[in-house]
Amino acid sequence: SILHLSFPILFFSLFISFVSLFAQERILTSSQKRIEDIRIQFIKKDFAKAHEEKRLYFATPNKVLFAETFSPKTATLTNVKIFHKNDSEYITKQTFALSISYTQGAWEGKDVMEYAIDEEGAFIGAPFRWDKKVIELDQSPQELLVRKNLLASTSSLKNLRQEIKRLRKIHASKELDKLIIKYNQRLSTPFSHIFLIVGILPLALEIKKRKTSFSALALGFIFGLFYYCFDQFSIVLGGSDFIIPILSAWVAPLFFVTVGLTGLVLIR
């Protein structure tokens, strides 16, 4: 029966998917962190030649930083917004600065304004103002440049969920959408094996039954290429706000599963 033919293949592909998820969470993320530590050590000689970055987003265990531009040549961030977190992950303070520059091993801000924030996210009282103020930021300009967008590649799915919650609290919509897309992409990618096999299975069974000359290898290659292109296209649409971010990483999997299950029902 179709069920008996399909079960070993589906079971094996599901097993491979869980192994891939484990490798992604336990091995790849920690390896990526080590790679970035090495990159920071070797980036110093080319740091001054790096291009200006726009819309920089950087997260640490106790801060979330946004900047309109970052100039590696002058080690300066402009239009900076920093959210400070406590041990309970609540935003307790928000800092605005026209610019902050890295000099003599410390970050110094100009035209700095600081607000205290309650647990509901509302400002408490009047802000504090300084013409110049040392900003408590442990990362060097090299670390900001290397790790500016690495949260999604070096964090576990659990940490990404926590970061998504924090971004929702501070209403960082653009960065939130990007992180939601990356989170769902990280979740769906390990299971692409089973989505692809479910989509191909009805056609593969028909080919085997009719004993055509079309090879299974060619079929797998064509459908694999189509799955990858379809998946990347939907990710781009999600990043461009054509489809909702949470759905963008699941368009290709849902399409293949729907086609596959429909095909299996029709050929029974």
Side-chain angles (χ1 to χ4, degrees):
S1 68
I2 294 296
L3 182 61
H4 285 117
L5 284 171
S6 306
F7 181 77
I9 302 170
L10 294 175
F11 177 80
F12 180 70
S13 62
L14 187 62
F15 172 76
I16 292 297
S17 295
F18 277 110
V19 170
S20 299
L21 181 63
F22 176 82
Q24 173 185 273
E25 291 298 289
R26 299 291 183 180
I27 301 172
L28 296 181
T29 53
S30 60
S31 299
Q32 183 68 38
K33 288 179 182 178
R34 293 192 188 99
I35 290 170
E36 297 314 320
D37 289 338
I38 294 171
R39 284 183 63 193
I40 288 172
Q41 295 175 18
F42 288 96
I43 200 175
K44 292 180 180 179
K45 61 181 180 180
D46 296 324
F47 182 69
K49 300 177 183 178
H51 298 292
E52 182 179 86
E53 299 285 338
K54 293 185 178 180
R55 293 188 61 83
L56 183 135
Y57 162 57
F58 188 85
T60 70
N62 60 354
K63 290 182 181 67
V64 178
L65 180 146
F66 299 93
E68 186 175 314
T69 62
F70 172 46
S71 173
K73 188 176 296 185
T74 59
T76 300
L77 296 156
T78 62
N79 293 330
V80 183
K81 187 188 299 184
I82 303 174
F83 296 88
H84 305 259
K85 300 176 288 186
N86 61 15
D87 294 336
S88 302
E89 298 296 328
Y90 285 107
I91 304 296
T92 58
K93 188 169 60 175
Q94 186 172 348
T95 301
F96 299 91
L98 184 62
S99 67
I100 63 173
S101 300
Y102 193 77
T103 54
Q104 299 179 350
W107 292 95
E108 184 179 71
K110 294 181 180 179
D111 294 332
V112 180
M113 189 164 55
E114 208 168 79
Y115 288 89
I117 297 178
D118 62 21
E119 292 186 1
E120 301 298 324
F123 292 139
I124 302 174
F128 297 95
R129 298 175 183 272
W130 298 269
D131 292 331
K132 289 184 178 181
K133 184 179 187 295
V134 174
I135 304 296
E136 296 177 1
L137 189 62
D138 297 331
Q139 288 69 30
S140 67
Q142 287 88 349
E143 289 180 294
L144 287 180
L145 184 63
V146 173
R147 293 177 174 166
K148 57 185 174 65
N149 292 316
L150 287 174
L151 176 69
S153 60
T154 60
S155 297
S156 65
L157 290 171
K158 179 182 177 181
N159 290 338
L160 287 177
R161 285 195 300 270
Q162 293 174 345
E163 195 62 32
I164 286 171
K165 289 180 181 178
R166 287 193 286 265
L167 289 177
R168 281 202 177 102
K169 287 182 180 179
I170 60 180
H171 307 293
S173 57
K174 195 65 178 178
E175 287 74 18
L176 176 61
D177 289 347
K178 290 179 182 178
L179 204 58
I180 287 174
I181 291 172
K182 201 67 180 178
Y183 172 80
N184 284 278
Q185 191 178 15
R186 285 270 304 275
L187 192 60
S188 66
T189 298
F191 294 93
S192 58
H193 312 87
I194 193 166
F195 299 141
L196 184 57
I197 287 174
V198 169
I200 290 177
L201 198 55
L203 185 56
L205 291 172
E206 279 294 305
I207 289 173
K208 185 171 180 62
K209 184 170 67 175
R210 299 188 183 198
K211 298 181 180 180
T212 63
S213 58
F214 195 78
S215 73
L217 183 62
L219 178 69
F221 177 77
I222 291 170
F223 272 76
L225 182 62
F226 176 70
Y227 180 94
Y228 175 78
C229 293
F230 191 9
D231 183 56
Q232 292 303 305
F233 181 66
S234 64
I235 293 294
V236 171
L237 290 180
S240 303
D241 297 328
F242 283 100
I243 56 178
I244 58 176
I246 197 171
L247 184 63
S248 61
W250 297 100
V251 172
L254 288 173
F255 176 80
F256 269 71
V257 169
T258 302
V259 169
L261 293 179
T262 304
L264 288 173
V265 170
L266 291 177
I267 66 173
R268 286 187 63 178

